[in-house]
Amino acid sequence: MDITAPRGTNDILPDEVGLWQHVEELVRNAAERAGYREIRTPIFEHTELFERGVGEATDIVEKEMYTFTDRGDRSITLRPEGTAPVVRALVERGLASMSQPAKVYYLGPMFRYERPQAGRYRQFHQFGLEVIGAPSPAADAEVIAVPLEVFRSLGIQDVIVNINSIGCPACRPAYRKLLQETYRPVLGKLCPSCVSRYDRNPLRLLDCKSEACRRALPEPPMILDILCPECRSHFDEVRRLLDGLNVEYAINPRLVRGLDYYTRTTFEYNVGGIGSQDAIGGGGRYDGLVEEVGGPPTPAVGVACGLERCVLAMRAMTGGEEYDAPIDIYFVALGEAAREKAFELAFDMRSCGISADFDMLDRGMKAQMRYAGKAGSRFVAIIGDNELAVESVMLKRMATGDQELVRQSEVAERILEARGGAAK
RNA sequence: GUGGAUGUAGCUCAGCUGGCUAGAGCAUCAGAUUGUGGCUCUGAGGGUCGUGGGUUCAAGUCCCAUCAUCCACCCCA
């Protein structure tokens, strides 16, 4: 076997796809219950969108994008995140004429050229929510709280919510300057990446995990202490709303996120048991992004959550198995004429809304029965010369083993009846 | 991009300090009185031992490179 899946990609095989569909369904339910409507944007965009939107100095743009030149000599990039494309789509398609705020959700693959490890892949999936056109703290609080409902419904326990505010263009520059002043004396002791961040984005020094930096860095001033009055009250109000929902969270003044577009609220969800990539989601407010992408000045907030990490967390908690889709009836045919009849009957069943299958390998009865059993078939209909002669079928209920002769014209009715009577 | 570990059938693994035709369990397929699944028994198919070099009379077993996986750093979902 010399042709394999590209590094960092995964195949979701039929045995596990049920779990994924289950997760996706709960995501959609929660989002739509909260008034979000789905939006689907292209998998690739002009590179410039991410350079401007996500930020030139971010790791994502600097070294993680799948960028290529297409045959028309355009620079194209596989989307590394969902927010910039969503904003671009809404701005381009007439955000101004849409009812405000625009509340949308998305669900799909993202691409980042990173070194793969548990919970980190080059093609991965995210779902996200965006509220565009709402300055209110209620939007921040909602966007933080809705994914928590998804996590709960998935059985993911003990999610830690970290929140912070990183200020706005009115108060952040002063904070940056203050940070640079406090760090200047120890510049020589910092790790190389911190030295380079010192000028470009000193906020990032706050969350450096390197031991050396941890020791060298003096206790930094906290931005929460010097937020402008507007940012301060916005943050307090977000907290008050979360308290009202009984959402537990930790205020983490060191929480800085790696995308340049954030303003004010930032937050992250963490869980244990899935390895070092323990952030299952994160987001924040991005009041400047719409304008950056060419729209009118518009406040906005959003979240994004990693589905692979959610699935990992589910498996860590419960095992997350058992999402098979058993079929209703399997036709076991003996002989040429019976096979033809089974084929037709299977299609009859399907047109009645019943899931039905039949053997197409010309196998013996035993093999057909085994296949039906493994497929989780609720009923098996056996057709041989005896049944053909009386236009019937030997209908067997697999769970009990009971069987009886049923006219072919009445099989569908029987199945529907049995299904209606059952729990589901 | 950096460091560490690992890489034998579809899956989980065994294979001692290099030595004959490379094994097990599970899975798959086929049989076990001729028309009946899940249990049991029997048998079969399936591996250029990740790939490419090298050392050696001889390499799955040693060395180098490369690719991949996992873990940590980094970053984030």
Side-chain angles (χ1 to χ4, degrees):
Chain A
M1 173 122 31
D2 50 355
I3 180 152
T4 58
R7 183 159 202 210
T9 63
N10 291 300
D11 298 309
I12 300 171
L13 298 173
D15 280 348
E16 42 191 350
V17 87
L19 175 60
W20 278 81
Q21 289 172 343
H22 172 71
V23 172
E24 288 161 5
E25 188 188 333
L26 294 184
V27 166
R28 290 175 191 286
N29 289 347
E32 284 167 16
R33 225 184 297 133
Y36 293 78
R37 294 197 298 158
E38 185 177 3
I39 184 169
R40 301 190 190 190
T41 65
I43 298 292
F44 57 86
E45 296 274 358
H46 289 292
T47 302
E48 190 190 0
L49 172 65
F50 302 111
E51 289 175 344
R52 302 225 332 237
V54 176
E56 306 253 23
T58 59
D59 280 12
I60 292 178
V61 171
E62 273 184 344
K63 48 191 190 192
E64 295 176 1
M65 296 205 301
Y66 275 94
T67 297
F68 60 95
T69 303
D70 73 7
R71 289 171 188 271
D73 219 30
R74 289 170 281 254
S75 180
I76 296 295
T77 294
L78 264 32
R79 64 179 186 197
E81 59 103 47
T83 300
V86 165
V87 169
R88 191 230 85 226
L90 293 180
V91 167
E92 182 176 347
R93 269 53 244 203
L95 175 63
S97 64
M98 299 167 49
S99 56
Q100 303 285 312
K103 294 175 64 170
V104 294
Y105 76 92
Y106 59 85
L107 184 58
M110 305 293 163
F111 306 84
R112 257 121 98 159
Y113 191 89
E114 291 192 271
R115 186 100 176 239
Q117 73 186 61
R120 189 167 78 186
Y121 310 99
R122 290 183 174 178
Q123 175 174 339
F124 60 101
H125 298 79
Q126 287 186 329
F127 76 88
L129 308 172
E130 312 289 353
V131 181
I132 295 168
S136 161
D140 305 54
E142 174 171 286
V143 141
I144 292 171
V146 170
L148 290 173
E149 285 177 26
V150 176
F151 300 148
R152 191 168 42 79
S153 65
L154 292 176
I156 300 173
Q157 320 253 317
D158 301 321
V159 176
I160 295 167
V161 184
N162 282 291
I163 67 173
N164 191 22
S165 174
I166 60 170
C168 67
C171 49
R172 204 170 344 158
Y175 180 63
R176 280 177 60 125
K177 199 167 282 176
L178 192 56
L179 268 185
Q180 284 172 326
E181 278 163 23
T182 41
Y183 288 151
R184 191 168 0 249
V186 296
L187 245 188
K189 296 183 194 161
L190 302 183
C191 71
S193 72
C194 279
V195 173
S196 79
R197 283 174 187 155
Y198 175 84
D199 285 316
R200 296 188 313 172
N201 191 353
L203 291 216
R204 299 294 303 285
L205 300 216
L206 288 178
D207 68 348
C208 183
K209 281 107 189 164
S210 125
E211 264 306 307
C213 292
R214 291 234 150 191
R215 272 189 313 242
L217 288 176
E219 198 53 34
M222 287 301 151
I223 188 165
L224 289 178
D225 298 328
I226 62 165
L227 288 177
C228 63
E230 291 75 20
C231 287
R232 173 87 255 163
S233 69
H234 184 92
F235 187 58
D236 290 343
E237 186 61 15
V238 172
R239 291 179 51 190
R240 220 177 53 75
L241 290 166
L242 290 175
D243 290 339
L245 292 176
N246 288 317
V247 169
E248 288 185 36
Y249 56 84
I251 294 175
N252 181 350
R254 289 174 174 273
L255 178 66
V256 177
R257 313 207 71 245
L259 290 76
D260 280 358
Y261 53 60
Y262 287 118
T263 55
R264 293 193 166 171
T265 315
T266 59
F267 59 92
E268 221 170 84
Y269 310 101
N270 300 88
V271 290
I274 63 170
S276 68
Q277 304 303 317
D278 64 350
I280 59 175
R285 179 163 280 281
Y286 49 92
D287 289 342
L289 181 61
V290 176
E291 199 173 1
E292 184 67 42
V293 170
T298 309
V301 228
V303 226
C305 300
L307 294 184
E308 281 80 2
R309 290 185 188 175
C310 287
V311 169
L312 279 176
M314 289 170 71
R315 293 205 222 263
M317 310 273 165
T318 58
E321 312 301 328
E322 302 299 322
Y323 292 98
D324 294 331
I327 57 168
D328 293 313
I329 183 168
Y330 189 91
F331 288 91
V332 170
L334 306 157
E336 203 42 50
R339 287 185 184 285
E340 213 172 303
K341 186 41 98 179
F343 180 79
E344 287 165 13
L345 286 174
F347 274 82
D348 287 346
M349 294 301 120
R350 294 169 185 174
S351 69
C352 295
I354 294 166
S355 55
D357 204 359
F358 60 91
D359 173 64
M360 40 175 84
L361 290 180
D362 291 355
R363 292 202 276 205
M365 179 170 198
K366 215 156 191 165
Q368 294 186 53
M369 288 299 297
R370 209 172 339 186
Y371 186 92
K374 230 164 292 179
S377 193
R378 284 180 263 264
F379 288 89
V380 153
I382 299 160
I383 313 176
D385 293 340
N386 302 342
E387 289 79 9
L388 273 182
V390 292
E391 296 191 334
S392 299
V393 123
M394 189 58 79
L395 189 65
K396 174 168 182 166
R397 184 191 286 272
M398 295 298 266
T400 60
D402 303 339
Q403 63 181 31
E404 64 177 311
L405 203 62
V406 174
R407 299 196 58 79
Q408 287 167 11
S409 56
E410 289 165 10
V411 173
E413 198 180 334
R414 280 305 197 73
I415 304 292
L416 290 171
E417 213 169 88
R419 199 160 66 182
K424 204 169 169 189

